[in-house]
Amino acid sequence: MIAPAAAEHRRDVERLLAVVRSPQVRDGALQERDHSLRVQVCVVGSGAGGATIARELARRGHTVVLIEEGAYRTGRDFGDPPPVMLRALYREQGQTRAIGDVPIPIPLGRCVGGTTTIGWGTCERAPDDVLRAWETEHGVSGVGPGELARFYVRAEGELGVAQVPDELFGRNAELLERGASALGHQGARVARNVRGCLATGVCGLGCPQDAKQAMHVSYVPSALGAGAVLYTRTRVERVLVSQGRAFGVQAVFLGENDRPTGLGLRVVADRVVVACGALLTPALLERSGVKHELLGRNLHLQPSLRVVARFPEDVRAWTAVPQGYAVRELAAEGISIASTFQPPSLTALALPGLGATHKNVMAHYAQLASCSVTVADQAGGSVRAGRRSFPDVRYALHDVDRRKLLRGASLAAEMLFAAGAVEVHPAIHSRPVLRTVDEARALRDADLPASDLILEGFHPMGTARMADDPKRGVTSSMGEVHGVRDLHVVDASLLPTACGVAPQMTIVALAMRIGEWMSDELGAPL
């Protein structure tokens, strides 16, 4: 006899597969002729922003086409070794990076659901003081805590957002909590968007159970159920603009080898929504002839370094969710410390050292615990279209952020020592291993260059920032591109500053808000 929960999960899987196979999903690799459409709204990108606004508008009866460069993959397609999944789900096989004083990898999804599909499921609201600052200091209207609250609440309910329960918390999170408490620091369990999570620990490679409520299992199917059409493996080359107004897009179909097939899609629309993320959105707008002094500037990455510790006993950190506990008390200073863990091949990339030294650390994989130190950074980067298929991304780590990262690494190492670690690896080339608390404390005031840090950037944002004054932002508070009518941005590009947490829920809330407004603007559905 099949347990009720297992039976329900099987039904969910079958429903999702039916969505993927429906005629409303059109795989560019399988098309045998050029396509042409006339709709009210064309949405480019199926991540947190694109999927949400497509769902909002389709549910209100508007005709919507959603275009995604990657393929539509679900849990049954996940579970292969990391190199295979990196090729299938990540842009540039996970090798996207910003170039500057220190190269910073930026994991980006290239699949239906975008980066939500490869994210860890962490879902947090932007802090109230950040939202207030966007209004009072950056000239954005209607995004205060009170205005966005109802959208946050609705999204959290629809996506199953809740704090990590005991059965999924795991030893890795427990150790950080123990160390933080021993030093008198306050933290809390992380909220995640999951239903039926089995804690397989491979969230970053796609959830095999489709328990994580990423856009490919939540709002994209909802949009399709309301009548939207989805084109996959279809790359938008440019937004069509004439006499200061956007009226559609031109796209090419991609084969299974990711190369253009020679066929394409032309969409004519009343509104065009670009939701490709903070790196690809400004590049697409630039290629489409949109000109604004601030376009592509103000890039934030919320740079992060991973602090790994070895304990005398087994931790088996892979048996729990990747992120379960976070210390946010330094959020006002722009520093966050959270428990994190990844599969062996990805953990290895975060560890300094070479040869036998590196091998020895990985030999104790079962005894490893880790956490990430993330800073809400100063605007240190820019994006330009460039000559390649991927834009030119530049980023210079601000000296303030460098010091914050070192302070955070020092504090994280202290917490792990307080929890019982025998050695700590702080992702710093010149300090590959710390063996005492005093060595950990010394990091706080160490004058180490940015090139000494092993960094990642998980949350690009800010490159088409909002401001009602065209001199202060690329878009209005409703995502309207200043100077081009009927063209909108709905993704992390809008955020004026780093928000200090994963931006997914704020993107969703903004997309709901903009979708509600846009529906009224569009009037009666076609």
Side-chain angles (χ1 to χ4, degrees):
M1 181 176 178
I2 299 175
E8 179 61 28
H9 176 68
R10 190 173 66 181
R11 287 192 292 270
D12 288 342
V13 169
E14 293 302 324
R15 283 193 289 266
L16 183 57
L17 289 175
V19 168
V20 176
R21 295 166 181 161
S22 76
Q24 287 168 262
V25 179
R26 301 169 186 176
D27 187 342
L30 304 180
Q31 304 309 309
E32 298 178 347
R33 60 176 177 80
D34 291 326
H35 286 215
S36 180
L37 288 179
R38 170 71 174 91
V39 295
Q40 285 185 292
V41 184
C42 175
V43 181
V44 185
S46 64
T52 302
I53 196 167
R55 193 281 298 261
E56 293 297 297
L57 294 170
R59 289 178 66 179
R60 288 173 168 82
H62 302 288
T63 55
V64 177
V65 61
L66 181 60
I67 303 177
E68 168 57 49
E69 185 176 346
Y72 203 154
R73 304 184 192 277
T74 66
R76 289 192 176 185
D77 304 308
F78 306 149
D80 285 326
V84 176
M85 298 317 305
L86 289 172
R87 285 194 295 272
L89 299 177
Y90 282 69
R91 188 168 295 279
E92 297 189 332
Q93 301 182 44
Q95 296 303 306
T96 302
R97 62 186 59 232
I99 303 301
D101 47 6
V102 53
I104 301 179
I106 311 169
L108 296 179
R110 185 175 178 267
C111 52
V112 172
T115 304
T116 70
T117 302
I118 61 168
W120 293 347
T122 302
C123 290
E124 300 169 285
R125 300 185 186 189
D128 288 355
D129 59 340
V130 171
L131 297 177
R132 293 189 191 100
W134 289 353
E135 289 197 313
T136 60
E137 298 175 22
H138 296 276
V140 185
S141 58
V143 298
E147 290 88 344
L148 286 190
R150 67 184 177 96
F151 300 113
Y152 277 130
V153 169
R154 179 155 69 91
E156 289 161 353
E158 292 172 345
L159 299 176
V161 176
Q163 286 189 327
V164 177
D166 290 346
E167 61 269 22
L168 304 179
F169 196 55
R171 284 279 291 154
N172 189 52
E174 287 176 1
L175 289 169
L176 180 61
E177 182 179 34
R178 179 199 298 176
S181 298
L183 298 178
H185 297 291
Q186 299 298 315
R189 296 193 179 197
V190 167
R192 302 175 70 241
N193 61 333
V194 296
R195 289 191 173 96
C197 177
L198 298 181
T200 53
V202 292
C203 302
L205 301 173
C207 178
Q209 294 81 35
D210 282 327
K212 179 174 60 184
Q213 299 300 293
M215 295 297 111
H216 75 293
V217 301
S218 54
Y219 287 174
V220 169
S222 181
L224 295 173
V229 171
L230 168 65
Y231 277 86
T232 65
R233 286 196 269 223
T234 303
R235 183 170 65 218
V236 173
E237 298 283 274
R238 61 191 178 97
V239 177
L240 302 175
V241 179
S242 177
Q243 297 181 340
R245 175 184 174 271
F247 65 91
V249 304
Q250 188 70 47
V252 296
F253 294 140
L254 304 176
E256 293 186 1
N257 60 1
D258 291 332
R259 296 176 181 174
T261 65
L263 301 173
L265 168 69
R266 180 183 174 89
V267 179
V268 174
D270 297 329
R271 299 285 192 281
V272 176
V273 176
V274 179
C276 306
L279 302 186
L280 291 162
T281 283
L284 175 57
L285 295 180
E286 182 183 339
R287 289 200 309 271
S288 304
V290 175
K291 298 184 184 300
H292 193 288
E293 182 181 0
L294 298 176
L295 181 63
R297 299 186 181 182
N298 194 51
L299 173 64
H300 298 266
L301 294 179
Q302 296 200 156
S304 173
L305 56 77
R306 196 166 303 157
V307 180
V308 179
R310 180 168 67 85
F311 284 78
E313 74 279 4
D314 278 2
V315 177
R316 298 179 63 83
W318 65 86
T319 61
V321 297
Q323 195 164 66
Y325 181 82
V327 178
R328 302 293 192 201
E329 68 178 12
L330 298 177
E333 300 175 42
I335 301 174
S336 173
I337 300 172
S339 62
T340 58
F341 207 81
Q342 296 204 69
S345 58
L346 301 181
T347 297
L349 294 175
L351 290 171
L354 299 170
T357 301
H358 191 276
K359 181 180 179 180
N360 183 58
V361 177
M362 288 302 295
H364 294 90
Y365 182 70
Q367 290 85 49
L368 298 183
S370 72
C371 62
S372 61
V373 177
T374 303
V375 301
D377 55 329
Q378 310 291 315
S382 65
V383 179
R384 287 291 176 262
R387 297 181 179 180
R388 303 180 301 124
S389 59
F390 191 78
D392 180 18
V393 182
R394 303 281 171 170
Y395 186 88
L397 186 69
H398 197 284
D399 191 57
V400 170
D401 299 322
R402 178 185 62 84
R403 293 196 298 270
K404 286 180 180 179
L405 284 163
L406 288 169
R407 183 184 175 203
S410 171
L411 183 55
E414 282 192 72
M415 291 178 183
L416 293 169
F417 276 124
V422 296
E423 63 182 28
V424 174
H425 304 269
I428 298 173
H429 290 295
S430 66
R431 311 283 175 93
V433 59
L434 309 174
R435 292 189 170 87
T436 68
V437 173
D438 287 341
E439 289 180 337
R441 290 171 180 159
L443 282 181
R444 194 166 306 180
D445 300 314
D447 188 19
L448 303 177
S451 58
D452 209 7
L453 309 181
I454 302 174
L455 300 179
E456 297 172 282
F458 292 102
H459 306 138
M461 59 187 84
T463 51
R465 62 184 177 189
M466 298 180 286
D468 288 326
D469 182 351
K471 295 180 180 179
R472 302 180 66 186
V474 178
T475 62
S476 74
S477 299
M478 286 298 182
E480 305 160 283
V481 175
H482 290 306
V484 183
R485 300 189 307 280
D486 301 333
L487 177 59
H488 306 259
V489 172
V490 183
D491 59 28
S493 306
L494 296 176
L495 309 189
T497 67
C499 58
V501 298
Q504 176 177 326
M505 293 307 290
T506 299
I507 298 167
V508 169
L510 290 172
M512 286 181 169
R513 175 176 178 264
I514 294 171
E516 187 177 89
W517 167 82
M518 190 181 294
S519 179
D520 292 339
E521 290 286 305
L522 285 166
L526 288 177

